[in-house]
Amino acid sequence: MKNSKTESQPKNFPPISYSEYLGTEKLLSLQNSRSREFGAEAHEEMLFIIVHQTYELWFRQILHELDSILGLFKTDLVREEDMGTAVGRLSRIVEIQRLLVDQVSVLETMTPLDFLDFRNMLYPASGFQSVQWRLIENKLGLKASSRLKYNSQPYTASVKPTEATVMTKSETEVSLFDAVDAWLARTPFLATPEFDFKKHYGEAVRIMLDDDRDSVLRFAKSDEDREKNLKQIEETKSVFESLFNEDRYKELQDKGTFRLQHKSIQAALFISLYRDQPAFNLPFQLLTRLQDIDELMTTWRYRHAMMAHRMLGTKIGTGGSSGHSYLKAATESHRIFGDFFNLATFLIPRSSLPKLPTSISKKLGFQYFS
Ligand code: HEM
């Protein structure tokens, strides 16, 4: 098949050299060591600068991918043929994140004493002011209300007004979380005349928990054990009810356990349970990639917090925060796709899963013949 993009390309290009193409001369002139500038060059500062610059370049690539994925998902209808592209680009982000986590070890070859040779020349600069990092967080969907306060100030207070404007604007745009939430809420097949997921799944859960109850009544070793296990089953039942009861679900949303719309969490569960159906394979991969991204953001935050602890002990950061303790607290508060982790609460064994009617499994299986 012909590729229209290739066809429309111009045919004559002027020659170009490696360094012209990559702008290496300019790139290699950007490692401006403060210690050299102020007369006592610290050997380790080159590494410190290059590691930060490399991060910023990778952030740029992540944003490039994120913007394209948002472009595909921000519409009222996500085209099936774009799903593979979206999953491929999310996978690329995940691989870059793995590099970003590994790269911490490179900077950790600099010892805290070496860092002190130039650290005092950096005030009040800090990674906290990285515009691209904030854009990544906001475009992924970190809620402003979940952010930890920094010296009792919003995170935008420590940057230039022009940078603050860019950061704040990204808070108001549709994030990947919002777009995926809206896409999930539109998932078909949740309720059709032949199959009502809510009803059939609710029934399967009831049977599973009744079986558990029977086993406890028959095999409990003591009265105390029986009481304890029956209570646990009642608690599990009540968690499952929230899946089918909007008011109960709202309570979990208010507690921060879930952020997705009620319909979206049901759809995410439906996709996860029936992921072996060909039509759900890519959607399932997409949800898994979002989990990977969240897990790797958290891993990076934790590795970075450990590095800051190693370098600073209990000193405050150059940006003025409580250093290590601020960063460690952010690992938990700044999670974005936690819903897809908490979804595991609602999974039931494959053996208890309601069978899909043939009319639906045919549609999900791309069967074009009878
Ligand atoms: C010697 C190495 C490093 C130390 C000691 C360090 C320390 C810190 C500290 C203490 C903070 C909190 C804000 C502050 O008070 O300054 C911070 C924030 C941050 N740093 Fe680093 N950092 C180091 C390397 C890096 C590198 C290589 C990057 C890569 C871009 C980076 C990116 C960030 C980001 C994005 C934040 C904001 C995190 C957030 O608010 O969740 N840091 N850093």
Side-chain angles (χ1 to χ4, degrees):
M1 206 167 71
K2 283 188 177 172
N3 179 344
S4 57
K5 279 184 195 155
T6 320
E7 274 186 340
S8 61
Q9 273 185 356
K11 297 223 166 33
N12 296 318
F13 312 101
I16 190 161
S17 75
Y18 177 85
S19 57
E20 280 166 345
Y21 182 55
L22 296 174
T24 42
E25 204 177 316
K26 199 165 178 189
L27 188 66
L28 300 180
S29 71
L30 298 175
Q31 291 67 48
N32 302 313
S33 158
R34 296 269 290 177
S35 57
R36 190 176 55 220
E37 185 183 343
F38 294 107
E41 184 167 358
H43 176 84
E44 306 295 296
E45 197 183 349
M46 175 70 103
L47 177 75
F48 187 77
I49 295 171
I50 287 186
V51 169
H52 278 84
Q53 287 180 338
T54 317
Y55 269 103
E56 288 294 337
L57 283 174
W58 281 125
F59 290 167
R60 178 155 193 193
Q61 184 68 37
I62 291 177
L63 286 168
H64 184 62
E65 305 302 347
L66 258 183
D67 282 337
S68 78
I69 299 163
L70 276 167
L72 301 176
F73 263 77
K74 267 194 316 199
T75 56
D76 290 340
L77 180 82
V78 180
R79 290 162 13 121
E80 282 301 318
E81 52 267 55
D82 288 335
M83 283 297 291
T85 306
V87 171
R89 289 177 186 170
L90 285 172
S91 303
R92 182 176 291 154
I93 294 179
V94 169
E95 292 310 320
I96 294 172
Q97 284 181 294
R98 291 193 209 287
L99 277 182
L100 298 187
V101 173
D102 279 354
Q103 211 168 286
V104 171
S105 320
V106 179
L107 192 51
E108 279 178 345
T109 60
M110 172 180 83
T111 69
L113 201 62
D114 294 328
F115 186 33
L116 287 177
D117 286 345
F118 61 93
R119 179 174 184 253
N120 62 349
M121 299 177 198
L122 306 179
Y123 285 98
S126 163
F128 193 85
Q129 297 160 335
S130 166
V131 177
Q132 293 202 101
W133 176 254
R134 297 302 174 211
L135 290 184
I136 292 173
E137 290 181 324
N138 291 341
K139 282 172 190 269
L140 284 174
L142 177 60
K143 274 196 304 188
S145 57
S146 307
R147 283 190 182 280
L148 294 176
K149 282 270 183 279
Y150 174 71
N151 293 338
S152 318
Q153 299 270 349
Y155 68 102
T156 43
S158 65
V159 295
K160 291 185 209 150
T162 46
E163 292 173 327
T165 308
V166 175
M167 291 174 177
T168 315
K169 183 170 168 280
S170 70
E171 275 181 9
T172 62
E173 289 164 358
V174 175
S175 69
L176 188 59
F177 182 95
D178 302 329
V180 169
D181 191 11
W183 166 73
L184 283 171
R186 296 191 301 263
T187 299
F189 308 117
L190 269 177
T192 65
E194 311 100 299
F195 186 75
D196 183 348
F197 175 61
K198 229 157 125 173
K199 190 170 137 236
H200 289 89
Y201 191 71
E203 181 63 12
V205 170
R206 195 186 55 71
I207 293 172
M208 184 186 78
L209 294 178
D210 282 353
D211 283 352
D212 286 356
R213 202 181 146 77
D214 272 0
S215 306
V216 170
L217 291 174
R218 285 170 57 203
F219 303 119
K221 288 200 194 86
S222 63
D223 288 350
E224 199 186 322
D225 264 6
R226 183 177 307 113
E227 283 314 302
K228 203 175 80 192
N229 292 340
L230 288 177
K231 198 167 159 232
Q232 254 172 8
I233 292 175
E234 280 312 305
E235 277 167 14
T236 313
K237 206 164 159 186
S238 128
V239 172
F240 269 102
E241 270 166 23
S242 64
L243 192 61
F244 307 114
N245 179 320
E246 221 161 336
D247 293 334
R248 296 291 311 280
Y249 184 74
K250 173 98 186 33
E251 283 169 26
L252 291 182
Q253 277 180 319
D254 292 344
K255 273 202 281 179
T257 317
F258 288 104
R259 188 177 155 199
L260 287 168
Q261 298 172 53
H262 193 210
K263 206 162 166 225
S264 306
I265 200 80
Q266 292 177 3
L269 180 64
F270 190 49
I271 292 169
S272 303
L273 291 169
Y274 294 102
R275 63 190 176 187
D276 295 334
Q277 300 292 329
F280 281 166
N281 199 272
L282 278 174
F284 176 69
Q285 283 191 46
L286 186 120
L287 300 185
T288 310
R289 290 296 84 78
L290 296 179
Q291 273 185 303
D292 293 341
I293 288 178
D294 196 74
E295 188 167 320
L296 283 157
M297 285 281 275
T298 310
T299 310
W300 184 81
R301 284 185 200 281
Y302 194 74
R303 281 290 273 123
H304 170 262
M306 293 294 285
M307 174 172 62
H309 196 185
R310 177 193 278 242
M311 298 291 173
L312 307 176
T314 54
K315 294 189 196 94
I316 59 162
T318 44
S321 81
S322 55
H324 167 66
S325 46
Y326 160 80
L327 296 169
K328 213 168 93 189
T331 56
E332 268 314 309
S333 311
H334 293 185
R335 297 277 302 272
I336 298 168
F337 297 109
D339 285 58
F340 300 122
F341 291 73
N342 294 331
L343 195 66
T345 319
F346 301 123
L347 295 179
I348 61 172
R350 274 195 173 98
S351 53
S352 310
L353 208 57
K355 200 167 163 351
L356 291 174
T358 320
S359 56
I360 297 207
S361 60
K362 266 187 178 174
K363 281 181 196 150
L364 292 173
F366 308 128
Q367 289 189 25
Y368 302 110
F369 48 86
S370 58

